[in-house]
């Protein structure tokens, strides 16, 4: 469990990453939701790491990674992953992305399918418009950010009311309160500008789509549309809100391991 970082060739941004699990296992990349750090996966690392070499990283704008000013794009966020693989001399890996990470996973499936083996897209969408709602939030973050209020909105959208004030949620609250407003605004811009609805059919990778029955951020219907667009994709619904790996860690691990280890 050693933390590392590398600097992107494209624009010189430091990206933090770490390995867990089997030293000689197949690589499984875990990509985070917006507003979180790589520790959002802590509850499933032991079980997933018993079968795979887990590679986690902080998305630019979050955690220990750099937060450059300006708008980000999924072209840039996706290339951060490709440059990470190149830096580590990893030719191909499984990829599991949740929410923002699921957008990145779709980009990789469209633009770099050779670098991805199995693709897992959890609690995500192909489009979260209209743009005006994002413009308002971006402007607020860049001029008069109220991070505590922003953090509470995220927590209300991510977790059922029954666990929002428990110690289980404390790490997520801490990471949200520590987020750089520039990084959050940059990632909001990437989501604002993304529309992958017509590109799913180009993804050739074996794909699992996980949806949350009570998700009000990335609605179950959003995941259904992704699964319908990607050839031979499988969709599984979980009785969760938004962070499936946190609310139902055992079910998440069981589903992911079954998908990754079953011949198709």
């Amino acid at each position: 469990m050693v933390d590392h970082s590398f600097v992107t060739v494209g624009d010189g941004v430091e990206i933090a990453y770490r390995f867990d699990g089997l030293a000689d296992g197949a690589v499984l990349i875990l990509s985070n939701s917006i507003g979180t750090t790589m520790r959002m996966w802590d509850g499933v690392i032991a079980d997933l790491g018993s079968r795979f070499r887990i590679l986690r990283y902080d998305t630019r704008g979050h955690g220990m990674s750099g937060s450059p000013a300006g708008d980000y794009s999924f072209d840039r966020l996706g290339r951060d992953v490709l440059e990470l693989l190149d830096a580590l001399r990893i030719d191909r890996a499984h990829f599991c992305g949740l929410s923002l990470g699921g957008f990145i996973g779709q980009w990789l499936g469209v633009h770099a399918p050779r670098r991805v083996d199995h693709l897992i897209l959890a609690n995500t969408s192909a489009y979260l418009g209209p743009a005006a709602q994002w413009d308002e939030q971006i402007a607020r973050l860049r001029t008069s950010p109220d991070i505590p209020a922003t953090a509470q909105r995220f927590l209300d959208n991510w977790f059922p009311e029954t666990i929002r004030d428990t110690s289980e949620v404390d790490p997520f609250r801490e990471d949200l309160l520590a987020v750089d407003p520039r990084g959050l605004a940059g990632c909001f811009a990437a989501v604002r500008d993304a529309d992958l609805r017509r590109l799913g059919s180009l993804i050739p990778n074996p794909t699992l789509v996980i949806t949350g029955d009570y998700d009000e951020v990335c609605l179950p219907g959003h995941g259904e549309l992704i699964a319908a667009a990607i050839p031979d994709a499988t969709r599984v619904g979980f009785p969760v809100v938004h962070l499936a790996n946190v609310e139902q860690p055992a079910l998440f691990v069981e589903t992911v391991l079954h998908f990754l280890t079953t011949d198709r």
Side-chain angles (χ1 to χ4, degrees), residues 49-79:
S50 69
R51 299 292 298 273
F52 293 95
R53 188 183 190 199
I54 306 299
L55 173 58
R56 293 185 273 174
Y57 72 100
D58 281 338
T59 308
R60 64 170 58 208
H62 295 76
M64 299 302 294
S65 291
S67 299
D71 293 354
Y72 305 167
S73 68
F74 282 108
D75 184 70
R76 182 60 260 175
L77 297 179
R79 291 184 187 282

Side-chain angles (χ1 to χ4, degrees), residues 165-247:
D165 294 322
T166 67
S167 59
E168 186 176 12
V169 173
D170 286 345
F172 295 90
R173 181 177 289 105
E174 293 168 4
D175 285 343
L176 283 164
L177 292 174
V179 74
D180 188 328
R182 293 185 307 174
L184 197 55
C187 286
F188 276 175
V191 175
R192 176 198 64 196
D193 297 337
D195 188 349
L196 304 174
R197 288 175 292 182
R198 295 185 178 183
L199 300 180
S201 62
L202 302 178
I203 298 176
N205 310 84
T207 302
L208 169 67
V209 179
I210 296 173
T211 58
D213 295 344
Y214 314 114
D215 196 337
E216 296 184 359
V217 179
C218 298
L219 303 178
H222 295 183
E224 292 170 4
L225 289 174
I226 293 172
I230 299 174
D232 299 321
T234 300
R235 187 188 72 86
V236 178
F238 282 17
V240 300
V241 181
H242 190 58
L243 299 184
N245 63 303
V246 178
E247 270 194 78

Side-chain angles (χ1 to χ4, degrees), residues 105-148:
Q106 292 171 76
W107 186 94
L108 290 168
V110 171
H111 296 281
R114 190 189 68 78
R115 306 301 299 274
V116 177
D117 194 335
H118 287 56
L119 183 61
I120 301 162
L121 308 172
N123 302 85
T124 194
S125 298
Y127 172 74
L128 280 176
Q133 64 177 330
W134 297 106
D135 287 333
E136 180 181 348
Q137 295 183 69
I138 292 166
R140 189 162 52 243
L141 283 167
R142 288 176 175 165
T143 58
S144 54
D146 185 345
I147 294 301

